[in-house]
């Protein structure tokens, strides 16, 4: 019964997430709408390729054209072109090798034994990248065809070329994908999560409402924060690639500049030191470490520091992308520095003379210092 209930809950959660994604795609521009557009473009490319090769020309292997077209509506125009060239080279080699093998040996089984190992080996050639597997696929189309001729094989390669042209053209000319909006959203998500984690820890410390279980939850969130920063870094790479070989680059907007690189670097350090703070708090919350648990006289100021750090991170993300005030950020960072200095003066006289307590409180102060150091004192939005 428990397994069934868990399955039902999982299905409901995923159904709700799907419905929410559809709602966001319909409501406003965003990542969900970008994905929906790419799906429609892939279907359109396959339809156009089939309409020409299958319906109009009635080619013998017409399915090759829409198949190639749909897989080449890639996440970026540059990737469509690069993968298209690699895929066509792989298909042409596999098709030609299989055709020569069958016609020379006059035996499909013998040709398969000779050609397939070579085609599969070619699939691992680094110059073909992920498209190398299509050498074996192209060979199999020939080897399993009961009527192998040079003309049919040539027509198959021509259909693949036409499908590639359709896929690349559709991807390049109809709302070419640009991921700058995704990069900004990913960075804002990471900054928002860092703000929420530090605010939650600050509230727990201030109210003395934290235990091992709650502190462990904060630490798990902090570890996931690093993955959000990695997603932002990956999205930044996609953004720059999406502007390469893009015929509508000027309309798509400028390439992400130094502001995005700086934001990724800062948030990467923030993620590391946020995890350090939550790990130290989690260790202090363990029941067998009663002497190491911060006294309310220390927990309160430390909570104030974390709350100011959370606000400064939030303002940094806004200012970095031109939505916030530099003066407001400088004021927030100044308050953060003053809170850190107050902690440095308070801790030495408030920590009990106990080795474990000294280690925990020293780690809290060290992580606080490193966290404060990562936020620039002057953040100018970059181009």
């Amino acid at each position: 019964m428990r397994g069934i209930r868990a399955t039902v809950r999982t299905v409901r959660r995923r159904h709700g997430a799907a419905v929410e994604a559809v709602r966001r795609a319909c409501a406003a521009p965003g990542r969900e709408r970008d994905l929906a557009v790419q799906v429609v473009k892939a279907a359109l490319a396959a339809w156009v390729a089939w309409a020409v090769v299958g319906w109009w020309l009635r080619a013998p292997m017409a399915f090759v054209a829409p198949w190639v077209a749909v897989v080449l509506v890639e996440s970026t125009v540059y990737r469509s072109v690069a993968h298209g060239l690699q895929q066509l080279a792989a298909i042409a080699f596999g098709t030609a090798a299989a055709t020569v093998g069958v016609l020379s040996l006059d035996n499909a089984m013998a040709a398969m034994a000779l050609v397939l190992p070579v085609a599969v080996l070619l699939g691992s050639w680094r110059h073909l990248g992920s498209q190398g597997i299509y050498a074996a696929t192209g060979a199999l189309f020939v080897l399993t065809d009961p009527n192998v001729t040079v003309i049919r094989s040539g027509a198959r390669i021509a259909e693949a070329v036409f499908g590639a042209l359709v896929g690349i053209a559709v991807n390049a000319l109809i709302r070419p994908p640009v991921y700058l909006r995704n990069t900004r959203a990913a960075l804002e998500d990471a900054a928002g999560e860092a703000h929420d984690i530090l605010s939650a820890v600050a509230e727990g410390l201030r109210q003395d409402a934290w235990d091992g279980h709650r502190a462990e939850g904060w630490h798990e969130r902090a570890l996931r924060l690093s993955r959000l920063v990695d997603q932002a870094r990956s999205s930044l790479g996609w953004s720059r690639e999406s502007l390469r070989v893009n015929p509508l680059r000027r309309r798509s907007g400028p390439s992400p500049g130094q502001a995005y690189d700086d934001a990724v670097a800062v948030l990467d350090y923030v993620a590391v030191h946020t995890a350090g703070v939550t790990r130290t708090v989690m260790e202090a919350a363990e029941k067998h470490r009663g002497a190491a648990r911060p006294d309310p006289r220390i927990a309160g100021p430390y909570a104030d520091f974390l709350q100011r750090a959370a606000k400064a991170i939030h303002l940094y993300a806004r200012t970095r992308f031109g939505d916030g005030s530099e003066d407001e950020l400088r004021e927030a960072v100044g308050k953060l520095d003053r809170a850190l200095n107050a902690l440095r003066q308070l801790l030495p006289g408030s920590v009990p003379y106990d080795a474990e307590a000294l280690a925990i409180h020293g780690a809290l102060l060290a992580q606080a210092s490193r966290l404060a150091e990562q936020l620039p004192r002057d953040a100018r939005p970059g181009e």
Side-chain angles (χ1 to χ4, degrees):
M1 289 297 292
R2 290 182 178 178
I4 295 175
R5 290 175 181 171
T7 302
V8 171
R9 286 196 297 269
T10 301
V11 171
R12 287 178 177 173
R13 184 171 62 252
R14 292 180 178 176
H15 176 265
V19 171
E20 178 63 18
V22 172
R23 187 194 65 78
R24 288 197 296 266
C26 297
R31 285 171 283 186
E32 292 80 7
R33 183 175 291 184
D34 291 340
L35 177 60
V37 169
Q38 287 299 102
V39 169
V40 173
K41 286 166 59 177
L44 174 62
W47 183 87
V48 170
W50 176 259
V52 174
V53 178
W55 177 74
W56 182 34
L57 299 178
R58 299 188 182 277
M61 300 292 289
F63 73 90
V64 174
W67 167 56
V68 173
V70 74
V71 298
L72 286 184
V73 180
E74 291 270 9
S75 47
T76 67
V77 177
Y78 171 79
R79 193 155 296 206
S80 289
V81 175
H83 284 180
L85 294 174
Q86 291 173 331
Q87 188 178 131
L88 289 176
I91 291 175
F93 175 85
T95 301
T99 302
V100 171
V102 171
L103 294 180
S104 299
L105 300 174
D106 197 25
N107 186 305
M109 292 299 294
M112 186 176 293
L114 292 176
V115 173
L116 275 184
V118 178
V120 173
L121 181 62
L122 182 69
S124 61
W125 190 32
R126 63 183 182 85
H127 290 293
L128 292 181
S130 61
Q131 308 303 304
I133 188 61
Y134 290 106
T137 304
L140 281 172
F141 283 156
V142 175
L143 294 169
T144 56
D145 188 348
N147 301 311
V148 179
T149 65
V150 174
I151 294 177
R152 285 175 65 87
S153 296
R156 188 178 287 112
I157 295 174
E159 291 155 11
V161 170
F162 180 76
L165 292 175
V166 171
I168 294 171
V170 168
N171 202 32
L173 300 179
I174 301 178
R175 199 176 183 269
V178 178
Y179 295 89
L180 184 57
R181 179 172 58 242
N182 291 4
T183 302
R184 178 168 177 171
L187 289 169
E188 290 175 344
D189 287 346
E193 179 65 2
H195 170 274
D196 293 346
I197 293 170
L198 293 175
S199 295
V201 176
E203 183 181 358
L205 291 176
R206 187 177 292 110
Q207 298 177 358
D208 197 24
W210 54 295
D211 53 23
H213 178 72
R214 193 173 182 185
E216 185 178 357
W218 294 333
H219 186 54
E220 289 177 355
R221 288 182 65 185
L223 293 178
R224 289 195 294 269
L225 176 60
S226 293
R227 291 198 289 272
L228 288 179
V229 177
D230 288 340
Q231 291 174 10
R233 182 182 292 107
S234 176
S235 182
L236 180 58
W238 281 101
S239 295
R240 290 187 169 128
E241 184 179 296
S242 70
L243 294 173
R244 299 174 66 183
V245 202
N246 190 329
L248 302 181
R249 176 170 180 169
R250 291 185 179 179
R251 289 171 52 186
S252 301
S255 174
Q258 191 61 38
Y260 287 85
D261 293 309
D262 292 345
V264 169
V266 168
L267 291 175
D268 193 19
Y269 281 113
V270 166
V272 170
H273 298 309
T274 298
V277 169
T278 56
R279 183 186 299 109
T280 305
V281 171
M282 181 178 66
E283 292 172 352
E286 295 177 1
K287 292 183 179 179
H288 65 279
R289 294 186 171 183
R293 190 179 179 95
D295 184 271
R297 292 174 300 173
I298 300 174
Y302 200 82
D304 291 339
F305 167 80
L306 292 180
Q307 193 64 62
R308 294 188 185 282
K311 182 177 180 180
I313 292 168
H314 172 70
L315 290 174
Y316 169 77
R318 290 183 55 195
T319 304
R320 177 53 67 184
F321 301 120
D323 292 339
S325 166
E326 290 186 39
D327 292 338
E328 192 176 3
L329 174 61
R330 279 193 290 268
E331 181 181 355
V333 173
K335 291 180 179 178
L336 179 66
D337 290 338
R338 289 192 289 273
L340 178 61
N341 291 332
L343 266 179
R344 287 170 174 163
Q345 296 173 4
L346 177 65
L347 277 175
S350 304
V351 179
Y353 190 73
D354 176 271
E356 193 167 20
L358 288 172
I360 290 291
H361 287 77
L364 285 174
L365 181 58
Q367 294 296 345
S369 299
R370 292 167 184 162
L371 186 60
E373 289 170 359
Q374 303 314 316
L375 292 171
R377 272 54 189 166
D378 185 18
R380 297 183 183 278
E383 293 296 327

